[in-house]
């Protein structure tokens, strides 16, 4: 059957086959993982040679020439026999480096390559996410600036409340995203290199190799770190570890991603609510189908995708929490299978929701006339106090029973027309028809000007963007021009 390749005959993770970017998918790929293992073995051999162990230039050169020609089929066969992934790849590397075979992985434990590579992948994962988050913030900042003074109904309890502006509401989203930016930056900078610590973190095997010379053990660790620093390693090494680096590091990394997911879910839920009101919509392509049965619909599928995936990302953080809690003494292996899933999936999912949200924010559509109509429908209710104050200024008594009675009665009667009869809000017409309010009839347009109800929202937008948003984007200026086109 045409198009029925082997890949379609087994489950494929939608995170990779359907959604994730190429760079994030590669970051957690077997090629990235196992070529990194080989580099780490090379740096270990180089350090050991420089410090006097019997390792030859030919052995080092042989390893250098075979960093990327990995026989994955052989490695899989070896793992089936040995039931050990690291030793399977030691054997596979040794097969193409027969001269270097005796010194590959010399003195190291599996976590030398496994944990250090995981830390590198986490660090590189953050480096992929941070510019994407910066671009989302940039697009939303531009949106907030453009609509800083466009009045819109505010909602509390999803009930109409005092007016705000479209731009001010976007700043609520931005504030959370800026917090996420700082959280991701901190988590990224806190990552360290596990280094060379041996089986229980004591460096005993290296002390034996170097015949009890503590200085050489420290020098070996420093040389390996120096070799890797220019290529891909975080800022410093952990001074103490068990067999693994502390699994609280995974908690720290995934917690900030889960927090980002909560932010994105809230933003996209707001967009979905506003789409129902027809005030704001996500981009909708010419050939896009809103519904197979109801072609008139414009479903907010991008925002829905973000919410759906964000829920998955928020759920994943429970994995490292439980894993760290049950790491007995120097370590147990019940972390391994879980981390193979939870770490990559968290970064892949975060990558997807940021790419999707960037696409949304690059094409948000605002309908000012619809927003204006909704304001007109609700504003007379909100203007009651303003009408009373205008009457006071015109010589009335704020406590005058008729003034308060009339306005409150109009509110009640007009609400009944809206809710019970399905009619339009006629409060303004009632005020205009009552001779008692004749002194302020000429002021009603200005009293009911929506821009008099938005307080300092525009000024807050300007200051917030200037002081808290734009500065965060400075390190990512060179990466701002990338646009996102969603593909399946």
């Amino acid at each position: 059957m045409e198009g029925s390749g082997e890949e379609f005959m087994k489950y494929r993770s939608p995170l990779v086959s359907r959604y994730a970017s190429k760079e994030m998918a590669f970051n957690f790929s077997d090629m990235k993982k196992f070529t990194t293992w080989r580099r780490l073995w090379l740096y270990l051999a180089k350090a050991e040679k420089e410090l006097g162990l019997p390792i030859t230039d030919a052995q080092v050169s042989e390893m250098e020439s075979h960093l990327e020609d990995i026989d994955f089929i052989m490695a899989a066969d070896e793992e089936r026999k040995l039931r050990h992934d690291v030793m399977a790849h030691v054997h596979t590397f040794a097969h193409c480096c027969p001269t270097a075979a005796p010194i590959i992985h010399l003195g190291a434990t599996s976590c030398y390559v496994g944990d250090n590579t995981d830390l590198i992948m986490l660090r590189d994962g953050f480096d992929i996410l941070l510019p994407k988050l910066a671009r989302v913030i940039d697009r939303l900042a531009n949106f907030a600036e453009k609509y800083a003074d466009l009045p819109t109904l505010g909602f509390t309890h999803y009930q109409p409340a005092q007016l705000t502006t479209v731009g001010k509401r976007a700043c609520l989203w931005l504030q959370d995203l800026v917090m996420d930016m700082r959280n991701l930056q901190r988590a990224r900078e806190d990552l360290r290199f596990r280094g060379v610590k041996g089986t229980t973190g004591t460096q005993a095997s290296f002390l034996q190799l170097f015949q009890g010379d503590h200085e050489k053990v420290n020098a070996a660790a420093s040389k390996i770190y120096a070799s890797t620093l220019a290529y891909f390693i975080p800022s410093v090494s952990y001074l103490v570890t068990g067999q693994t680096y502390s699994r609280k590091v995974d908690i720290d990394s995934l917690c900030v991603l889960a927090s980002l997911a909560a932010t994105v879910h809230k933003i996209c839920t707001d967009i979905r609510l506003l789409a129902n009101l027809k005030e704001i919509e996500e981009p909708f392509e010419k050939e896009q189908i809103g519904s197979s049965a109801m072609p008139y619909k414009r479903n907010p599928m991008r925002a829905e995708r973000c919410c759906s995936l964000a829920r998955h990302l928020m759920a994943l953080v429970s994995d490292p929490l439980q894993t760290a809690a049950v790491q007995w003494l120097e370590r147990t292996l019940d972390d391994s299978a879980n981390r193979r899933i939870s770490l990559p999936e968290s970064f892949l999912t975060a990558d997807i929701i940021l790419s999707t949200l960037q696409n949304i924010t690059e094409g948000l559509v605002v309908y000012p006339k619809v927003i204006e109509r909704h304001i007109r429908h609700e504003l007379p209710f909100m203007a009651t106090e303003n009408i009373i104050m205008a009457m006071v200024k015109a010589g009335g008594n704020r406590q005058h029973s008729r003034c308060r009675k009339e306005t409150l009665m109009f509110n009640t009667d007009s609400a009944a027309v809206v809710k019970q009869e399905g009619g339009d809000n006629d409060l303004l017409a009632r005020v205009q028809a009552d001779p008692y309010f004749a002194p302020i009839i000429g002021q009603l347009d200005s009293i009911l000007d929506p821009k008099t109800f938005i307080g300092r929202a525009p000024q807050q937008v300007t200051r917030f963007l200037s002081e808290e948003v734009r500065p965060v984007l400075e390190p990512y200026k060179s990466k701002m021009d990338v646009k996102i086109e969603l593909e399946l």
Side-chain angles (χ1 to χ4, degrees), residues 134 185 470-480:
Q185 288 171 331
R470 301 297 185 192
V472 168
L473 301 178
E474 282 296 319
Y476 306 97
K477 269 191 170 182
S478 63
K479 300 179 180 180
M480 282 295 161

Side-chain angles (χ1 to χ4, degrees), residues 152-297:
T152 189
L153 280 177
F155 288 88
T156 58
H157 314 275
Y158 201 42
Q159 301 299 312
Q162 286 189 348
L163 301 192
T164 183
T165 69
V166 172
K168 170 64 189 298
R169 178 179 284 141
C171 285
L172 299 181
W173 302 337
L174 278 165
Q175 181 164 249
D176 290 351
L177 289 170
V178 168
M179 291 172 66
D180 292 316
M181 172 70 82
R182 293 179 182 133
N183 289 339
L184 264 67
Q185 288 171 331
R186 179 199 52 75
R188 187 252 189 235
E189 293 305 318
D190 281 352
L191 290 172
R192 299 186 184 186
F193 188 38
R194 178 192 175 273
V196 281
K197 298 289 197 298
T199 55
T200 58
T202 65
Q203 298 177 297
S205 57
F206 292 99
L207 192 62
Q208 186 175 9
L209 278 174
F210 291 110
Q211 299 178 330
D213 191 328
H214 290 270
E215 292 303 317
K216 283 191 175 181
V217 174
N218 285 333
S222 297
K223 285 179 181 294
I224 292 168
Y225 174 65
S227 297
T228 55
L229 184 62
Y231 183 61
F232 47 29
I233 290 300
S235 54
V236 292
S237 295
Y238 295 107
L239 295 179
V240 295
T241 70
Q243 189 171 80
T244 69
Y245 68 80
S246 170
R247 294 311 184 215
K248 281 185 71 68
V249 174
D250 297 343
I251 295 174
D252 201 23
S253 297
L254 269 60
C255 272
V256 300
L257 299 184
S259 182
L260 169 65
T263 297
V264 174
H265 199 297
K266 185 266 192 290
I267 293 170
C268 290
T269 300
D270 285 354
I271 291 172
R272 292 163 66 189
L273 292 170
L274 294 169
N276 173 261
L277 298 175
K278 297 182 174 57
E279 292 190 356
I280 293 179
E281 287 181 346
E282 65 179 38
F284 196 89
E285 296 165 16
K286 288 182 179 179
E287 297 183 13
Q288 182 175 332
I289 295 175
S291 167
S292 60
M294 295 168 283
Y296 58 86
K297 292 182 71 181

